[in-house]
Amino acid sequence: MEKIKLKKVATKRVKEGYPLLVKGDFLSEPKQIDGRFVELVDDQKQFVAKGYLAKQNKGDGWVLTTNPKEELTQSFFERLFLKAEKSRNTLKLDESTTAYRFFNGEGDGLGGLTIDYYADYYVFSWYSEGIYTHHELILKAFQAVIKDCLGIYQKFRYDLKGKEQVSHFVGKEAPAPLMVLENGIRYATYLDDGLMTGIFLDQREVRETIREHYSMGKTVLNTFSYTGAFSIAAAMGGASETTSVDLANRSLPKTKEQFEVNGIDAKTQRILVMDVFDYFKYALKKNLSYDTVIIDPPSFARSKKRTFSVAKDYQKLLEEVIAITNQNGVIVASTNAANVTMEKFESFIQKAFETSSTRYSMLEKYTLPNDFKLNPHFPEGDYLKVCILRKK
Ligand code: SAH
């Protein structure tokens, strides 16, 4: 295997467990960064680790093992999948939940690949062309271990130069929609329709707490609602009324469908295709206010009228939300922006309430659920932050 020399700082970092290789880690830049397995050595040519080089938005490659005896063969990947399967055993046995993250990249020992489980189908997401060059080996290892798989789809989360972002990989094609369960609630998913499936699996615990604690008899506003998953959870938890607001046209039929597969007449709920910032203005003018408001914007969004970024604009967004939340009402504030830490996020919250001359208390905090397994040496992987607040 080709040996690549690491600089001293990178050697130290890799030895301490950091899994990502970044530009500048190498004593001389490798000529090609194309997915191949390499042995990483220090400036004295002593073994440090084995990994692969690949251009990904995050860096230039991933460390796979610091054990010199470990070979990067099919059985290496089989061991990773076996371990991943074991650690999801509780979810697997839970019949009321049939969709979850099965394999979480570097958290499960292989940066650049995630695998989600959707009711006997699996969705592979490849994050670089480099890791994709190993797809046959990885698939063989997966199939040797995983026996409950009817079919696999793959999503390509890198620049494909015109190729489709999603394709059927092997096995049976999934029905469209494919029904999954999450804590007993049904969600219609589409595995073959772009990068998103209809549900964000990382919010499972937040949907559950919304249903259990913040819905009964409440008026609920769900902003940036996508397919309305939070609204469905609220309605199932006894919300007296839900309002879902999203800019995308597709959100209307998708949200209707999610209500209806749960036996709720979508006509009894409000579903609006519009910019949330326009909705806030409208709500103020009409004196509308809510008991529970959910905000889960994308990290960055550009619409005809404005650009929004969590890092710059979350505080402002919260101020608008505080204005239409009832006293003693609850705000579920969420972000998946990796560049905003929990401390920073809490400082936005504090400032927004200060500016609004309103007091609040923190009821609950959530980060990623256990199936989104983290590498303890890679805190950047812990992107989800959810704070549940009571307006006083
Ligand atoms: N909260 C959702 C996921 C949100 S994804 C869930 O848990 O399922 C982000 C959504 O924000 C997308 O559906 C996108 O269409 C929507 N969006 C982005 N900018 C918006 C804006 N200014 N107003 C309304 N919706 C917006």
Side-chain angles (χ1 to χ4, degrees):
M1 207 188 304
E2 185 184 348
K3 291 189 166 69
I4 302 272
K5 279 192 193 163
L6 292 178
K7 288 182 186 164
K8 278 207 167 65
V9 270
T11 300
K12 184 163 176 281
R13 225 189 291 128
V14 170
K15 280 191 170 162
E16 284 167 359
Y18 192 71
L20 184 65
L21 300 167
V22 294
K23 203 172 160 60
D25 276 356
F26 313 106
L27 267 177
S28 64
E29 270 312 299
K31 273 180 223 70
Q32 280 189 317
I33 298 198
D34 54 4
R36 69 192 183 286
F37 294 142
V38 294
E39 188 174 315
L40 302 158
V41 297
D42 65 13
D43 53 7
Q44 305 300 310
K45 293 197 186 154
Q46 292 301 302
F47 177 88
V48 179
K50 291 177 189 175
Y52 74 91
L53 300 182
K55 282 269 176 234
Q56 193 183 319
N57 61 347
K58 283 181 180 158
D60 277 5
W62 292 97
V63 174
L64 299 181
T65 177
T66 49
N67 175 357
K69 295 209 189 80
E70 202 143 41
E71 301 293 338
L72 301 181
T73 55
Q74 185 177 323
S75 64
F76 171 81
F77 295 99
E78 285 179 20
R79 283 197 297 280
L80 294 186
F81 291 137
L82 213 54
K83 208 169 151 205
E85 188 183 41
K86 275 212 185 97
S87 70
R88 274 74 173 181
N89 205 30
T90 317
L91 274 168
K92 198 181 162 69
L93 294 175
D94 176 359
E95 285 176 8
S96 68
T97 296
T98 60
Y100 52 85
R101 170 98 0 141
F102 169 77
F103 190 89
N104 196 38
E106 70 284 351
D108 281 292
L110 173 57
L113 171 67
T114 63
I115 305 174
D116 291 322
Y117 174 75
Y118 286 86
D120 295 332
Y121 291 86
Y122 287 83
V123 177
F124 283 47
S125 291
W126 307 101
Y127 282 82
S128 69
E129 178 89 58
I131 186 64
Y132 184 65
T133 61
H134 301 290
H135 69 276
E136 280 173 18
L137 176 68
I138 291 171
L139 177 64
K140 265 199 235 152
F142 181 83
Q143 287 176 321
V145 171
I146 301 305
K147 297 300 174 196
D148 66 352
C149 174
L150 289 181
I152 303 178
Y153 284 79
Q154 47 187 354
K155 311 229 179 222
F156 302 96
R157 295 179 179 271
Y158 53 89
D159 184 11
L160 283 164
K161 299 168 189 101
K163 218 168 81 186
E164 283 290 317
Q165 286 180 310
V166 53
S167 69
H168 178 246
F169 191 9
V170 290
K172 279 209 224 169
E173 285 187 20
L178 170 67
M179 290 300 165
V180 300
L181 279 177
E182 184 190 82
N183 292 312
I185 299 183
R186 284 155 72 82
Y187 292 98
T189 67
Y190 294 81
L191 303 190
D192 204 11
D193 180 21
L195 289 179
M196 301 194 288
T197 59
I199 185 166
F200 287 102
L201 299 178
D202 53 3
Q203 297 277 17
R204 181 178 65 246
E205 295 175 344
V206 181
R207 283 186 285 270
E208 179 65 354
T209 196
I210 286 174
R211 173 173 72 173
E212 287 292 303
H213 303 292
Y214 309 111
S215 298
M216 186 54 86
K218 309 285 185 200
T219 55
V220 178
L221 172 65
N222 179 12
T223 62
F224 304 95
S225 56
Y226 178 46
T227 62
F230 285 129
S231 312
I232 315 306
M236 295 299 276
S240 61
E241 167 200 307
T242 70
T243 303
S244 307
V245 184
D246 196 293
L247 194 61
N249 286 324
R250 59 160 194 240
S251 67
L252 177 62
K254 295 262 184 199
T255 304
K256 274 190 184 158
E257 180 181 31
Q258 303 292 27
F259 277 119
E260 272 158 12
V261 298
N262 285 290
I264 298 167
D265 182 355
K267 284 196 225 64
T268 62
Q269 311 294 320
R270 287 168 41 86
I271 307 169
L272 302 164
V273 175
M274 73 191 281
D275 191 309
V276 298
F277 294 96
D278 292 336
Y279 187 75
F280 294 142
K281 282 198 205 102
Y282 167 84
L284 269 184
K285 206 164 73 197
K286 296 275 171 187
N287 262 324
L288 299 176
S289 63
Y290 299 88
D291 300 323
T292 297
V293 184
I294 302 155
I295 16 174
D296 180 31
S299 311
F300 188 83
R302 189 180 310 233
S303 70
K304 277 177 220 127
K305 290 189 203 151
R306 58 176 70 78
T307 57
F308 170 88
S309 93
V310 164
K312 284 208 323 285
D313 306 312
Y314 208 99
Q315 184 191 326
K316 190 92 208 2
L317 172 63
L318 257 172
E319 288 166 18
E320 307 238 31
V321 167
I322 292 167
I324 57 166
T325 304
N326 292 333
Q327 198 179 3
N328 289 319
V330 167
I331 298 172
V332 179
S334 170
T335 179
N336 60 7
N339 61 339
V340 173
T341 60
M342 185 61 104
E343 289 70 44
K344 187 103 207 146
F345 189 49
E346 286 185 58
S347 81
F348 295 159
I349 293 169
Q350 209 187 333
K351 283 190 210 139
F353 277 94
E354 242 170 59
T355 310
S356 312
S357 306
T358 308
R359 289 187 309 126
Y360 73 99
S361 60
M362 182 75 75
L363 299 175
E364 289 190 87
K365 276 191 222 174
Y366 286 88
T367 54
L368 288 171
N370 280 341
D371 45 326
F372 284 70
K373 203 169 165 190
L374 296 176
N375 179 323
H377 303 287
F378 193 68
E380 300 95 304
D382 196 3
Y383 61 85
L384 184 71
K385 284 136 299 228
V386 183
C387 292
I388 304 185
L389 320 158
R390 186 178 301 287
K391 173 177 167 177
K392 290 198 173 156

